[in-house]
Amino acid sequence: MNYLEKILHWKLIITYLIVVLGVTIVITATLGPAHIPPLIVLKMLASRLPLLKVAPSWSVSEETIVFQIRLPRIILGVLVGAALGVAGTTMQGLFKNPMADPYVIGISAGAALGATLAMVTLASLSMYIVPLMAFIFAMGAIFLVYSIARVGGKLPTSTLLLSGIAVTLFLSAITSFMMYISGEKLHGIVFWLMGGLWASSWDDVWMTLPWILIGMMIIYIFARDLNVMLLDEEPAQHLGVEVERLKKIMMIFTSLITASAVAVSGIIGFVGLIIPHAMRILVGPDHRILLPCSALVGGVFLVWADTLARTIIAPTEIPVGIITSIFGAPFFIYLLRKKKKSLY
C-alpha cells in the first residue's frame, strides 16, 4: 500500500467511526425509562441546527428529557471515553509498556483523594468543589511523581513507573483513611470512586470540553515523534527526537485530559487500557491513525457502557466503571487470542 492509498484508507476508517459515533449518540438518546423514537430525536437535533426549520412534533417533556438529561450525559461520555482512550494510547506508546496508562502513574489516585477530601470536608461549599479538587489533586500527583522520578534532568521510564506505583499506594492509603472517618458520607464516596456519569450536566460538558480538546490536539501534533519512540529512546534521539522534552510534554497533556475526565466521571477503569490495545490490533501502531481511532472508539465504548449501566436494572443505576470492567476484560482477552503477534 503506497502513501496515497494509506491516507485514503485512514480517511475511510475515520469517516466510518464518525458515522458510528453519530448513530450511537442518536440511538442511546432514545433509550431509557421514557422511550423516544429515533426519528423524533433526529428531528429535535435538526431543529437546533441553523438554516433548518423543523416543525415540532414532540412534547415539551420529551425535549427536556433529550436535551437536559440524556444528551449532556452522552456528550460527556464521549469526551471522557475519548480522553481516556487517547491518554492510554499515548502512555503505552511513549513507554512501550502495555501496562502503562494514566492510572499507573498516580493520576487516578490523586483525583480520588481530592474528591474524597472535598466530599468529607468541603461538599457544602459548591457543587463544583468535588471535580475541582479532583482535578487539582490529580495534577499535584503527577507533578509529585515527576519530581521523584527525575534523575539528573532525565526521566527514566522504569523509575517513573515505580514512582507512580509508590505514590498511588501512598495516596490510596490516605483516601482509605478519609473514607474510614467519613461517617454517613461513605456511601457517596464509594459510589463516586466506582465511576459514573449520572450527575452529568451541560456545565460539566462546557467545563471539560476545552481542556480535553486542547490536550488531545497537542498530543496529536507529536504523533510522528511517538512513532519514532517505538524504535526505543536511543535510536529516537539519533533521529532528532528530544526524548526527555517529549516525555515531559506528553505527561503534562496526558495528565490534563485524564484529570479533566476523572474530575467529572470518577474512576472509570479499563477504557484507557483496552481501547489502545484493540485499536493497535485493528489499525496498526502508527499514532497518526491510532490516536484519532482511540478517541472515537473510546467515546463510543463508554457511551454504550453508560447506557447499559443506566438501563439494565432501571430505575437503579450501576456505576459505569463496573460495566467497563465486566465487558472490557473478556473483549481484551478475545482480541489477544485472535491476533497473537507483536503489538508494537
Side-chain angles (χ1 to χ4, degrees):
M1 185 181 294
N2 60 39
Y3 180 73
L4 289 177
E5 290 175 338
K6 181 188 290 186
I7 296 298
L8 180 60
H9 180 63
W10 287 355
K11 287 182 178 178
L12 288 174
I13 292 174
I14 296 297
T15 303
Y16 171 74
L17 291 178
I18 290 174
V19 172
V20 171
L21 178 61
V23 172
T24 294
I25 291 173
V26 172
I27 292 177
T28 52
T30 71
L31 302 176
H35 176 69
I36 301 173
L39 185 59
I40 295 296
V41 173
L42 278 174
K43 287 182 177 179
M44 285 186 196
L45 295 175
S47 70
R48 298 298 179 99
L49 297 176
L51 304 178
L52 284 179
K53 292 184 179 179
V54 180
S57 58
W58 53 87
S59 65
V60 175
S61 60
E62 287 177 330
E63 185 168 341
T64 301
I65 289 171
V66 171
F67 284 107
Q68 301 302 323
I69 298 175
R70 292 181 187 170
L71 211 51
R73 181 169 181 160
I74 291 169
I75 300 300
L76 195 65
V78 172
L79 290 173
V80 171
L84 296 177
V86 169
T89 302
T90 306
M91 284 292 172
Q92 291 172 16
L94 187 65
F95 299 120
K96 287 192 67 178
N97 188 320
M99 295 304 295
D101 77 350
Y103 296 96
V104 174
I105 60 175
I107 298 175
S108 63
L113 176 58
T116 303
L117 189 62
M119 289 179 189
V120 173
T121 61
L122 304 169
S124 60
L125 296 181
S126 168
M127 61 181 292
Y128 300 110
I129 196 67
V130 172
L132 178 63
M133 288 288 284
F135 180 80
I136 292 173
F137 273 71
M139 295 300 290
I142 191 59
F143 281 107
L144 177 61
V145 171
Y146 176 79
S147 301
I148 296 172
R150 194 163 177 246
V151 179
K154 294 187 176 181
L155 197 63
T157 299
S158 58
T159 308
L160 176 69
L161 295 176
L162 289 173
S163 301
I165 292 170
V167 169
T168 296
L169 292 173
F170 176 71
L171 296 179
S172 297
I174 299 178
T175 301
S176 297
F177 175 73
M178 296 298 297
M179 292 169 64
Y180 183 73
I181 63 172
S182 63
E184 60 183 18
K185 298 174 181 175
L186 177 62
H187 181 266
I189 295 172
V190 171
F191 211 61
W192 187 89
L193 291 177
M194 289 180 180
L197 299 167
W198 56 84
S200 304
S201 66
W202 285 114
D203 288 340
D204 293 327
V205 173
W206 300 128
M207 181 175 66
T208 309
L209 179 67
W211 305 113
I212 290 179
L213 285 185
I214 291 171
M216 290 196 299
M217 285 191 289
I218 293 177
I219 288 173
Y220 187 77
I221 291 173
F222 293 90
R224 289 179 182 273
D225 290 342
L226 288 172
N227 286 344
V228 179
M229 284 291 288
L230 298 180
L231 300 174
D232 219 340
E233 293 187 11
E234 192 170 330
Q237 280 184 322
H238 288 308
L239 291 172
V241 175
E242 297 181 43
V243 173
E244 298 306 321
R245 174 174 167 271
L246 179 65
K247 284 182 182 177
K248 294 174 187 174
I249 294 172
M250 291 298 99
M251 282 184 56
I252 289 172
F253 287 100
T254 299
S255 303
L256 175 66
I257 61 176
T258 305
S260 301
V262 171
V264 293
S265 66
I267 310 299
I268 298 177
F270 261 99
V271 179
L273 186 64
I274 65 167
I275 296 300
H277 281 293
M279 288 299 97
R280 196 174 288 111
I281 290 171
L282 294 174
V283 303
D286 193 323
H287 287 85
R288 291 174 295 176
I289 183 66
L290 184 58
L291 284 169
C293 285
S294 296
L296 290 167
V297 175
V300 170
F301 175 75
L302 190 57
V303 169
W304 278 111
D306 182 58
T307 301
L308 192 60
R310 66 182 167 85
T311 57
I312 190 170
I313 55 171
T316 302
E317 289 198 20
I318 302 173
V320 70
I322 294 176
I323 300 294
T324 58
S325 299
I326 289 175
F327 287 91
F331 180 66
F332 180 51
I333 294 170
Y334 164 75
L335 287 176
L336 284 179
R337 291 181 62 85
K338 185 177 180 183
K339 197 167 187 177
K340 290 181 178 179
K341 69 177 187 179
S342 174
L343 299 179
Y344 295 94

